[in-house]
Amino acid sequence: MSIMVPSTTPALITPGRQALDSALHQLDQAAAHLGLDDGLRTMLATPRRSLTVSVPVRREDGRLDVVQGFRVQHNVSRGPAKGGLRFHPGTDIHEVTALAMWMTWKCALVGIPYGGAKGGVAVDPAGLTTRELERLTRRYVSEILPLIGPEKDIPAPDVGTDEQTMAWVMDTYSVSAGYSVPGVVTGKPTTLGGSLGRTGATSRGVQIAALAALGRSPEGVTVAVQGFGKVGALAAQYLSDAGCKVVAVSDVTGAVYSAGGLDVARLRAYAAETGGVRGFHHADALSHDDLFELDVDVLVPAALEGVITEANAPRIRARLIVEGANGPTTPEADTILAANGTTVVPDILANAGGVIVSYLEWVQNMQAYAWSSGEIELKLRDLMLGAFSEVTSLAAERGLTLRQAAHVLGVGRVAEAHQMRGLYP
Ligand code: NAD
């Protein structure tokens, strides 16, 4: 038996710990602005429930591996916990806590009745066969089973998971319940009660936020996108469809650049076939770091946390950053970008399209009903633009960055929910 649990050196500052420090810093700023007392601030800084599990996985060659899994419910004052499930070798309890906290503010900001949660398994899905992945997912779900449910906590896809993963989550939960429970998870295939429009929802939201922030015709606006997965590839596609010129994209395999604009549809087909963007014939190769420093109008980070730091922020030339990823910008980088006049549409606003359509999927499941893709798109647009306008108005009124304004709104609504409910007992 081999143990794949990552070593835990107490003094080690992991990327996950850095993400949590960023999230706590953003909370502190909002709490100070709102004048929240220390007790309530501490309550909001602390997850309500935090579970670490060991997940044994039988490999194809008969070996038994054990990986660590997590589920964190950061806050449930406004409704059931909601948040993605990440499969990534670097994930840890700190990262999952940070991501759960951002989900809490995001749901409150866009006005949907959820608290924030997140799940993670410290594993590289690319290193497992489909059957191993299925066994891993089912065992992880059975380990966290007491926490999840359509009225308690509803997972969804995130980095390294997809519709198939969600179908396994739904099936495992349903088998245990003894009947089908589609509302336990969102981002499912449509044949299992998934919503039309969920696959592209986060990217559609990124496009809506980017075009609203641009405030001018997208024709010829140049864009670079870091991350070419579920969010980044379709964000590049939708921005290109709107008239923008996507000149560079990257994924783990490499980065590609074309001054004349990439053919995004062709690049998506190439990446699907070869496993990445590297080697795309109709573009030049670029280094991962150079992508951030291109002279473009819009930069869309859509990979992982902590990629825009005090080291590269001074060299970023994009005037607008639209955060498809959660937590891509550190607080130190935020200060530099603000001083340089770069507008940052923050994650909890820019990538909220995913949880908005997840919410619509859950409402449809609870009513055993399905809306048309046109209806979904309209509702998504309304909620995104409503939140965008509230954030930009508050930022202008109080001299805040868009991130600060978004946090003041999100944190303020959760704090209000606590105050109205009172403290039990
Ligand atoms: P994904 O696994 O589908 O894609 C991740 C992409 O990032 C892949 O293309 C991967 O190759 C790339 N990547 C990883 N490390 C990289 C690096 N160092 N440089 C360049 N590219 C790199 O994940 P996703 O669902 O697209 O999620 C991406 C981000 O968006 C995450 O921060 C996630 O939390 C956030 N997000 C996702 C959703 C959703 O609905 N999937 C919703 C809201 C926010």
Side-chain angles (χ1 to χ4, degrees), residues 2-209:
S2 70
I3 308 278
M4 284 167 53
V5 177
S7 69
T8 46
T9 314
L12 189 71
I13 305 291
T14 62
R17 182 66 239 188
Q18 284 169 351
L20 183 54
D21 286 347
S22 295
L24 290 170
H25 172 86
Q26 292 156 2
L27 167 62
D28 279 348
Q29 276 196 328
H33 189 91
L34 290 159
L36 302 185
D37 66 53
D38 269 359
L40 186 50
R41 193 215 71 89
T42 305
M43 181 108 167
L44 297 177
T46 327
R48 301 274 58 78
R49 288 201 183 101
S50 197
L51 179 65
T52 299
V53 296
S54 295
V55 186
V57 192
R58 180 74 62 195
R59 303 296 298 267
E60 301 296 9
D61 61 7
R63 259 183 311 139
L64 182 66
D65 281 342
V66 181
V67 296
Q68 264 197 328
F70 314 96
R71 186 76 191 170
V72 172
Q73 295 173 352
H74 169 256
N75 194 284
V76 288
S77 58
R78 301 179 59 262
K82 180 89 187 85
L85 169 59
R86 174 172 294 195
F87 288 176
H88 188 276
T91 202
D92 62 18
I93 191 68
H94 304 302
E95 178 184 59
V96 175
T97 305
L99 291 164
M101 192 181 297
W102 284 320
M103 279 301 290
T104 301
W105 316 142
K106 190 183 304 182
C107 293
L109 175 63
V110 298
I112 56 179
Y114 284 141
K118 205 79 183 187
V121 179
V123 72
D124 179 7
L128 299 179
T129 66
T130 304
R131 282 153 44 101
E132 288 168 342
L133 262 181
E134 178 174 353
R135 287 197 286 269
L136 169 90
T137 305
R138 288 185 183 282
R139 184 59 189 252
Y140 165 75
V141 172
S142 70
E143 297 293 345
I144 64 159
L145 208 63
L147 287 195
I148 61 171
E151 272 131 11
K152 295 198 282 185
D153 181 356
I154 307 121
D158 191 75
V159 172
T161 57
D162 59 14
E163 280 191 353
Q164 177 60 77
T165 327
M166 297 307 115
W168 292 328
V169 175
M170 182 252 180
D171 185 69
T172 307
Y173 186 90
S174 298
V175 167
S176 147
Y179 53 93
S180 286
V181 189
V184 68
V185 76
T186 59
K188 302 175 290 293
T190 47
T191 41
L192 297 178
S195 177
L196 293 170
R198 175 60 183 92
T199 311
T202 310
S203 317
R204 181 65 75 199
V206 167
Q207 181 215 33
I208 292 167

Side-chain angles (χ1 to χ4, degrees), residues 278-335:
R278 188 189 166 140
F280 184 55
H281 308 303
H282 313 277
D284 299 323
L286 188 74
S287 83
H288 275 116
D289 290 347
D290 286 349
L291 179 130
F292 287 98
E293 297 169 24
L294 289 174
D295 189 8
V296 288
D297 299 307
V298 185
L299 176 63
V300 180
L304 295 171
E305 305 93 65
V307 294
I308 301 177
T309 64
E310 59 193 324
N312 61 5
R315 295 193 297 278
I316 287 181
R317 286 187 278 174
R319 305 313 293 156
L320 175 64
I321 297 176
V322 184
E323 296 183 337
N326 286 305
T329 311
T330 65
E332 296 77 17
D334 256 340
T335 307

Side-chain angles (χ1 to χ4, degrees), residues 106 110 112 114 198 201 349 351-362 376 379-385 387:
K106 190 183 304 182
V110 298
I112 56 179
Y114 284 141
R198 175 60 183 92
L349 173 60
N351 70 33
V355 75
I356 289 173
V357 178
S358 273
Y359 163 66
L360 298 174
E361 178 174 330
W362 176 77
I376 296 286
K379 290 177 202 294
L380 167 64
R381 188 168 291 277
D382 265 9
L383 285 170
M384 281 300 296
L385 290 177

Side-chain angles (χ1 to χ4, degrees), residues 208-230:
I208 292 167
L211 298 186
L214 265 174
R216 64 177 161 112
S217 160
E219 216 53 51
V221 164
T222 52
V223 180
V225 181
Q226 187 222 16
F228 206 61
K230 294 186 295 298

